[in-house]
Amino acid sequence: MGKNKIRRTLVEFSVRRPKLVLLLVGAVTLLFMTQLPRMKTDTDPKNMLPATSGVRVWNGKVEKTFGLYEDTIVLGITNGKGVLNEGTLGRIKRITDGVLTLKGVAARDVSSFTTTDNVTVDGQTLKVGPLMTDVPKDSAGMGALRRDLFENPLFLNRIISGDGKATAIYIPLEKGANGKEIADRIREIVKREGGGGDSYYIAGDPVARDTFGAEMFKLMGVFSPIAGMVMFAVAFWMFRSFFLSFAIMVPAMVIIIWSMGLVIGLGYPIHIMSSMGPVFLMAIATDSIHIFNEFYFRYKEKKDRRAAILETMDAVAVPLIYTDVTTAVGFGSLTLANIIPVRVFGLGVGFGTIALLLLSFTLVPAILTFAGEERLERAALKEDAEAGRASGLLRRLAALGVHRPKTVAAAGLVLFVIAAIGTSKIIVNNNLIEWFKYHSAIRTADRVLNKSLGGTSPGYIVAMANDDDFIKTPEAMNYLEGLQHYLERKLPVVGKTASVADYVKRINRVLHNDNPAFDAIPGNKDTIGQYLFLFGMSAKPADLDNMVDYPFRRANIWVQLKTWDAQAMRDVIRAVGQYKKAHPIAMEFKPAGIAYFNLVWNDEVLWDMLKGFVTALVVVFIILAFNFRSFKWALIGYVPLLFTILVIYGVVGFTGKDFDMPISVLSTLSLGMAVDFAIHFVSRFKRRLFALKAGEDGAPGKEMIADSLLWTAARPGKGIMRNAVLFAAAFSVMLFAPLTPYVTVGAFIVGMMMLSSLLTIIYLPALITLLSGWLFEGGLSG
Amino acid sequence: MRRFFILTVMFLLLAGNAFAIDGRAIMEKSEAAFYYPGRDFKARMVMKLVSAGGQERLRELTMLRKNYGHPGGPQKYFIYFFRPADVKDMTFMVYKYPDRDSDRWLYVPAINMVRRIAAQDKRSSFVGSDFSYEDVSGRNVGDDNHVLLREEKLGGRDCYLVKSTPKKTDVEYGWKLSWIDKASFLPLKEEYHDRRGEIYKVFTADEIKTVKGFPTITKRTMKNIQSGHRTEVAFEKADYNIGVPDSLFSERFLKQPPKRWIE
């Protein structure tokens, strides 16, 4: 076969001219390395969707229409004895003054006690001005401030909590400002104040996002080398040879540089997904362990280094090619995604995997020629499939399947059903804040603020009428008010809503000597128009602009959510739909804002991944069938893979962990990795059986099948276990990451490797034994 | 003798400065030219509020002003709104005092009610525009420290460039630069810098016409550089010394403004 010939030529060439091969690989690596310094990072989740995506265009339009800020930091201040005391108020005033001087802060629209305008009435006089100019010095002044705060529904749960123990300063950011840097400056300001029993909490999407970005960068720099070192240590423990451990690491390092070089060279920034690329590549590179594993057995039999290399490469070539191709397909399917960072990640890792395949037939044999004969001798002595401890254990595991196939199959079935039940409990959700650990400053801040105030996750419902000035009609105003009430009453996640109707009611009441009876929408359009004009004379222009567009055709309802769950906004949208159905009006309602973006993004990721998952499933099956030249064997090879994923989903379902972006991405690419062991096992098993039968016709005997299964488990099985342990070891490092997506990835991969290797060693022998009649119907190739 | 010569030169150099006008004097003259020309004044103006996204809101009004005393002294303002349509007949009145906060009254026709408005914040927006109340009726010259930075040309006109720094921190900006036309003493341009030193609002006099001998800014723009929002004001009619009666500035006429004064 032509393919085989190319492969053999490559291997022979590499064994003959190892130095040239090393030199060539080194040169190419240097070339890719020149790209690395051009690296840029991008941590804005908005860029997960292209700038032209519907939701981003629409959100941009809404922001422009209502003069809204994309990003707002919330600084929460709490005091167990209440924030309305001289000390705390003085600190609020000084902190606000400090915040106003920060670069990147949209100072004109910072909302705090000293910057928020308030309209009150005193006898016949309307008072317009900042809620608090100076800290009240006496109890009368303090009482007045308390009244102003609690009697104004616009303030309650926004800048003062119901129990008076919490307040917040809302700090909008100019476009392009870095949320983490500003948050750090705010922390400095707050630190200077300190004391007095006040606690400070900094929350909001930009802080979370940019903190995540900074941490991600650190992780990439810290965890990739640690993962590398762990792999090196584990490899040394397995082979007791520095040379060999080193030889395993070299291809890993090379493909990391190639892949990162390619991604950066193509001009893509590094996102959270691609920042995990190096660890993935390192783990995938452990595939070359099958070469070393086999080489040592062969060397012991042959005692000729060169011949052992060539024979080894012959024996492992087919499974190596197919495992790498399936892995590449798993990652490659990600390039079908709409989510750009996922696409880039798939491209980078897919490319690295193919590069690894090339290196397996060039660099690895070349490196092997440098192994000292004496050292090989010593190491190879330990590699005895019959007597080795690890091999013995593997043999016993496989024997379980071979000798008690029905019990094993039944146990598997039970596990399958349980996992299926767990899978049905899965909740699809995404929550940016929960990407941080429970006790992290960011998540704590979010929790505290959501408990006491209206909510840190902002969403909008834009009401759109067909005619100018319609929003000024009592009909529209009453509708907005009714819809707000409905949302606040019906959905516990909605902490607070605000709309232009609140302003109208407020002005009406104030103009009528603060009489609560006038806390209502007036029945006349001109009155509403004049109230809004008066409001525009008394507040910052932005206050009105944030709520209505210029022609009074569109109104914006602010919906503060107490959770960053994508699900929350879906509930809001559904509730709006129900309200509209029950109360028809000539207005359309469209969601917008960060909460809406998170929802769209969540759905998009899921749909994308489902697409990728199905594609990978089909392609992997086709490759398997092609590899084994049989549908039946492809089905058998599929079992550990499907089983592994189902069990992991089952665990996700039972533990109540959200099925979020990291998990959905992992599901897709795990297909290509979890199938690897089955490919190695089935390929080597059939090869062994073929050799044993030595040309006899008909189906192989039961004994022969059992023997081959046990041999496969003990010898290539050892390679499988080594591969799984090494792979898992590299990823176990991620379990200690401070960000939960990394922990999720670590746990998922470790679980997947252990499960799929164990299933391959135990379950495949059981299935093959049980179904041997069906599988070997047409002889060996069956 | 040589020493005497040097002293003389030094004295002349110092005196050269003393002969020249200083920052405060420039701003006083500017106040007189900008906010106090004539005994009284009437203008019909259209205010165009333009958002960063290009949306527009219109306000159309007649403003009457009467001086009581010298430039820098008390004034009364009467404003009648024509547009937006739903605020037609709304009126607004200001008594301005040099040494204390102004008194303001607003008439809300829909509920036939006059309310006094205590203005704690002179810097707040005038009818939602980028102009503050102070920008409309003038800021006390004594509230700021004025320094003449230099003289320079702006658009071909010789100007004084004056830096005015508020004495108190109760305003939203850090300092203001004014380009004062040497000939008319009208501000041709003003730059407001926020407390971080970043430019924040810019005022420009876009058209100046002489009405009854008084140079008058008939088109002006205030642009908020940071938000992108701007307000353009155009005087459609402007007139001085028309004999505005004192009685106009009363609650009775707030509710029923005489046609001849507002049209």
Side-chain angles (χ1 to χ4, degrees):
Chain A
M1 232 164 106
K3 246 189 324 181
N4 286 344
K5 206 166 163 197
I6 296 171
R7 190 231 308 152
R8 283 209 186 99
T9 318
L10 264 179
V11 174
E12 273 164 26
F13 175 78
S14 308
V15 174
R16 223 173 333 115
R17 308 285 306 273
K19 281 184 186 154
L20 182 64
V21 169
L22 288 187
L23 210 70
L24 276 173
V25 172
V28 176
T29 306
L30 270 179
L31 204 73
F32 278 115
M33 218 182 243
T34 56
Q35 300 300 314
L36 298 186
R38 290 173 46 203
M39 180 164 81
K40 294 181 300 262
T41 52
D42 181 357
T43 55
D44 193 340
K46 284 190 194 78
N47 292 338
M48 290 279 178
L49 296 181
T52 51
S53 65
V55 62
R56 284 187 67 179
V57 172
W58 165 246
N59 265 355
K61 221 158 97 187
V62 170
E63 275 160 17
K64 212 161 192 182
T65 305
F66 297 106
L68 303 167
Y69 294 91
E70 229 177 304
D71 293 321
T72 301
I73 291 178
V74 186
L75 169 62
I77 301 165
T78 64
N79 188 311
K81 292 187 189 124
V83 292
L84 295 181
N85 66 74
E86 231 181 285
T88 303
L89 291 174
R91 282 186 286 275
I92 290 174
K93 182 175 160 68
R94 286 191 297 274
I95 289 169
T96 307
D97 283 345
V99 165
L100 291 177
T101 64
L102 293 179
K103 244 189 158 50
V105 166
R108 60 195 171 277
D109 288 325
V110 167
S111 154
S112 162
F113 279 10
T114 51
T115 58
T116 302
D117 280 324
N118 190 25
V119 189
T120 51
V121 65
D122 182 7
Q124 291 296 300
T125 304
L126 287 182
K127 278 187 174 169
V128 177
L131 175 63
M132 177 183 95
T133 316
D134 289 302
V135 178
K137 292 280 179 258
D138 48 24
S139 57
M142 203 63 86
L145 178 61
R146 180 181 299 274
R147 248 191 333 275
D148 283 352
L149 276 167
F150 284 98
E151 279 178 4
N152 191 335
L154 293 169
F155 297 150
L156 194 63
N157 284 332
R158 181 157 171 87
I159 57 172
I160 189 75
S161 66
D163 59 8
K165 288 177 183 169
T167 178
I169 302 177
Y170 295 83
I171 306 164
L173 306 186
E174 302 284 9
K175 255 195 162 51
N178 182 306
K180 180 180 186 292
E181 279 167 22
I182 293 175
D184 286 344
R185 291 292 98 71
I186 295 172
R187 278 190 196 101
E188 283 165 24
I189 294 172
V190 157
K191 209 170 186 180
R192 277 202 295 276
E193 290 298 335
D198 292 352
S199 304
Y200 302 97
Y201 301 96
I202 297 184
D205 184 65
V207 191
R209 195 179 64 217
D210 292 328
T211 307
F212 195 90
E215 294 270 335
M216 177 186 110
F217 217 11
K218 255 190 272 168
L219 280 178
M220 193 164 62
V222 172
F223 276 71
S224 303
I226 292 182
M229 281 189 276
V230 167
M231 261 179 69
F232 188 84
V234 174
F236 182 74
W237 169 72
M238 282 176 176
F239 292 102
R240 306 277 161 194
S241 154
F242 271 114
F243 172 77
L244 213 77
S245 315
F246 191 67
I248 290 171
M249 297 306 294
V250 170
M253 294 301 141
V254 169
I255 58 167
I256 287 173
I257 293 168
W258 286 21
S259 140
M260 296 309 271
L262 177 82
V263 168
I264 295 166
L266 287 176
Y268 293 113
I270 302 296
H271 300 85
I272 168 175
M273 285 300 305
S274 28
S275 79
M276 296 192 205
V279 181
F280 272 92
L281 287 169
M282 213 172 309
I284 290 167
T286 55
D287 210 23
S288 62
I289 207 156
H290 293 280
I291 303 177
F292 299 108
N293 188 62
E294 187 62 22
F295 174 69
Y296 276 48
F297 284 115
R298 298 270 167 179
Y299 183 76
K300 215 181 138 220
E301 290 160 16
K302 284 270 152 166
K303 306 280 184 208
D304 174 354
R305 192 170 50 185
R306 191 166 293 227
I309 294 175
L310 293 178
E311 270 186 34
T312 299
M313 295 316 292
D314 252 359
V316 299
V318 172
L320 265 188
I321 291 172
Y322 282 100
T323 52
D324 283 345
V325 168
T326 48
T327 304
V329 164
F331 285 95
S333 68
L334 297 179
T335 56
L336 298 175
N338 285 330
I339 314 281
I340 302 157
V342 173
R343 221 150 59 190
V344 174
F345 174 69
L347 172 82
V349 180
F351 168 74
T353 309
I354 295 301
L356 178 73
L357 186 59
L358 178 71
L359 294 178
S360 297
F361 293 106
T362 50
L363 182 65
V364 175
I367 290 176
L368 281 179
T369 60
F370 290 100
E373 301 262 353
E374 197 186 316
R375 229 180 307 161
L376 274 178
E377 199 98 23
R378 230 181 317 123
L381 261 181
K382 279 179 285 187
E383 294 296 320
D384 187 337
E386 304 297 324
R389 239 186 328 148
S391 293
L393 177 68
L394 291 170
R395 180 184 283 274
R396 278 199 295 284
L397 282 177
L400 224 71
V402 172
H403 299 311
R404 301 178 152 187
K406 283 185 185 146
T407 317
V408 171
L413 201 68
V414 172
L415 193 63
F416 185 91
V417 171
I418 294 174
I421 294 171
T423 305
S424 69
K425 291 181 188 288
I426 278 182
I427 302 162
V428 177
N429 195 12
N430 223 351
N431 185 326
L432 186 67
I433 296 295
E434 286 181 9
W435 283 9
F436 293 90
K437 294 215 165 154
Y438 189 81
H439 291 293
S440 63
I442 284 183
R443 215 164 135 184
T444 306
D446 198 69
R447 197 165 47 241
V448 169
L449 293 183
N450 277 329
K451 212 173 123 194
S452 46
L453 294 166
T456 55
S457 169
Y460 305 118
I461 297 292
V462 181
M464 299 182 290
N466 301 318
D467 305 302
D468 285 359
D469 282 340
F470 182 72
I471 299 300
K472 286 181 188 170
T473 60
E475 186 192 2
M477 285 288 170
N478 283 313
Y479 199 90
L480 293 178
E481 187 194 22
L483 177 57
Q484 281 174 262
H485 275 239
Y486 182 73
L487 291 179
E488 284 178 358
R489 247 197 333 255
K490 183 160 189 285
L491 302 173
V493 288
V494 173
K496 184 170 176 63
T497 63
S499 83
V500 65
D502 295 308
Y503 291 164
V504 171
K505 286 193 296 185
R506 176 75 194 154
I507 295 288
N508 195 17
R509 175 172 170 167
V510 169
L511 277 179
H512 292 92
N513 300 322
D514 215 8
N515 182 349
F518 286 89
D519 204 344
I521 305 284
N524 170 301
K525 186 175 164 213
D526 278 355
T527 312
I528 293 171
Q530 289 170 21
Y531 284 2
L532 286 174
F533 193 74
L534 175 59
F535 182 81
M537 294 174 80
S538 58
K540 284 185 217 169
D543 289 347
L544 191 59
D545 291 351
N546 288 169
M547 300 292 192
V548 276
D549 71 345
Y550 274 37
F552 286 90
R553 216 181 155 114
R554 294 181 173 192
N556 186 19
I557 305 175
W558 288 45
V559 181
Q560 276 180 265
L561 299 171
K562 285 175 172 288
T563 165
W564 288 87
D565 283 347
Q567 196 54 39
M569 193 65 191
R570 199 193 308 279
D571 293 343
V572 170
I573 294 167
R574 192 175 304 134
V576 170
Q578 284 163 354
Y579 188 81
K580 167 111 199 267
K581 207 163 172 194
H583 309 83
I585 191 171
M587 282 200 285
E588 288 288 325
F589 296 90
K590 270 184 87 171
I594 294 176
Y596 177 57
F597 175 86
N598 287 341
L599 171 64
V600 173
W601 177 58
N602 178 61
D603 289 353
E604 193 99 2
V605 167
L606 206 78
W607 178 241
D608 255 11
M609 289 308 123
L610 198 67
K611 215 166 58 183
F613 189 75
V614 172
T615 313
L617 220 54
V618 172
V619 176
V620 166
F621 186 81
I622 292 171
I623 293 175
L624 274 185
F626 191 73
N627 179 17
F628 300 143
R629 307 273 187 281
S630 152
F631 276 104
K632 291 179 195 167
W633 282 100
L635 276 177
I636 292 288
Y638 229 45
V639 168
L641 155 74
L642 286 181
F643 220 135
T644 301
I645 290 174
L646 196 69
V647 170
I648 292 177
Y649 281 8
V651 172
V652 168
F654 277 123
T655 55
K657 190 191 173 326
D658 287 341
F659 190 91
D660 56 4
M661 188 205 67
I663 291 193
S664 59
V665 172
L666 282 167
S667 314
T668 308
L669 55 88
S670 64
L671 282 179
M673 296 193 286
V675 80
D676 284 6
F677 300 144
I679 291 179
H680 278 287
F681 192 93
V682 173
S683 302
R684 299 298 298 277
F685 163 70
K686 285 177 81 179
R687 210 180 145 94
R688 173 73 178 179
L689 204 56
F690 192 76
L692 281 183
K693 265 185 65 176
E696 282 173 47
D697 281 339
K702 278 223 177 306
E703 202 120 314
M704 201 184 279
I705 293 175
D707 263 5
S708 301
L709 283 172
L710 293 179
W711 178 89
T712 310
R715 186 156 148 179
K718 193 166 174 188
I720 288 172
M721 277 325 282
R722 279 175 160 164
N723 189 346
V725 169
L726 213 50
F727 208 124
F731 271 95
S732 63
V733 172
M734 283 203 177
L735 292 174
F736 303 99
L739 300 172
T740 59
Y742 289 83
V743 179
T744 306
V745 169
F748 191 107
I749 297 280
V750 170
M752 180 184 84
M753 280 295 129
M754 295 340 272
L755 269 173
S756 68
S757 58
L758 278 176
L759 284 168
T760 302
I761 300 286
I762 303 173
Y763 213 63
L764 272 190
L767 276 182
I768 292 173
T769 307
L770 267 185
L771 303 173
S772 61
W774 174 67
L775 282 169
F776 294 109
E777 243 169 15
L780 249 190
S781 56
Chain B
M1 187 65 199
R2 217 168 110 194
R3 184 180 288 170
F4 176 75
F5 175 73
I6 290 170
L7 275 175
T8 310
V9 170
M10 278 181 69
F11 174 78
L12 283 173
L13 280 174
L14 286 173
N17 270 339
F19 293 147
I21 191 163
D22 71 358
R24 180 171 173 126
I26 294 168
M27 293 316 276
E28 277 171 353
K29 288 190 120 178
S30 179
E31 180 187 46
F34 194 20
Y35 294 105
Y36 285 87
R39 287 185 306 279
D40 56 38
F41 171 66
K42 173 181 167 182
R44 170 100 173 221
M45 49 181 91
V46 174
M47 259 187 167
K48 197 156 81 178
L49 284 56
V50 187
S51 78
Q55 304 185 77
E56 291 183 0
R57 268 184 190 143
L58 285 184
R59 274 115 180 70
E60 189 174 348
L61 54 98
T62 288
M63 184 173 94
L64 296 130
R65 160 174 63 76
K66 188 167 184 176
N67 294 353
Y68 291 82
H70 298 291
Q75 287 181 319
K76 288 178 183 175
Y77 287 83
F78 188 100
I79 292 167
Y80 173 87
F81 291 98
F82 294 94
R83 280 199 290 174
D86 42 30
V87 305
K88 190 168 158 39
D89 293 339
M90 210 177 214
T91 50
F92 184 59
M93 184 166 73
V94 179
Y95 284 14
K96 183 183 148 190
Y97 312 104
D99 48 357
R100 60 184 168 94
D101 283 345
S102 312
D103 288 325
R104 303 176 191 161
W105 293 266
L106 180 79
Y107 169 62
V108 186
I111 49 172
N112 190 27
M113 185 186 281
V114 172
R115 278 276 178 267
R116 221 176 87 103
I117 298 181
Q120 291 150 306
D121 191 358
K122 294 173 284 198
R123 298 300 307 168
S124 65
S125 155
F126 176 71
V127 295
S129 74
D130 295 288
F131 291 92
S132 69
Y133 285 98
E134 263 186 2
D135 295 330
V136 175
S137 58
R139 175 172 170 86
N140 240 327
V141 176
D143 287 348
D144 303 329
N145 290 314
H146 306 278
V147 177
L148 172 60
L149 294 181
R150 58 180 178 271
E151 297 172 16
E152 66 178 35
K153 275 195 188 290
L154 185 81
R157 301 179 73 113
D158 288 317
C159 291
Y160 298 110
L161 175 55
V162 179
K163 179 177 177 176
S164 308
T165 311
K167 290 174 181 168
K168 286 198 264 176
T169 55
D170 60 347
V171 290
E172 85 288 7
Y173 62 91
W175 70 84
K176 179 178 85 173
L177 296 179
S178 308
W179 281 260
I180 307 293
D181 181 24
K182 280 189 177 179
S184 65
F185 279 93
L186 289 175
L188 300 185
K189 181 180 171 185
E190 291 171 338
E191 275 182 11
Y192 292 81
H193 293 254
D194 67 16
R195 282 185 222 162
R196 294 171 292 198
E198 285 170 31
I199 191 157
Y200 147 63
K201 283 206 309 191
V202 174
F203 166 90
T204 47
D206 306 320
E207 182 187 89
I208 297 177
K209 281 185 181 163
T210 303
V211 181
K212 280 195 180 163
F214 300 106
T216 308
I217 299 173
T218 46
K219 279 186 183 162
R220 67 192 72 188
T221 304
M222 183 72 89
K223 174 156 187 166
N224 188 320
I225 303 293
Q226 292 178 4
S227 71
H229 195 280
R230 71 173 192 275
T231 303
E232 299 168 5
V233 180
F235 287 5
E236 294 194 333
K237 282 182 266 178
D239 205 356
Y240 292 93
N241 298 337
I242 50 172
V244 176
D246 289 343
S247 60
L248 177 70
F249 302 97
S250 63
E251 186 169 334
R252 182 163 78 93
F253 286 125
L254 262 184
K255 288 187 171 182
Q256 276 179 330
K259 257 203 158 71
R260 69 169 284 227
W261 291 116
I262 57 167
E263 292 285 288

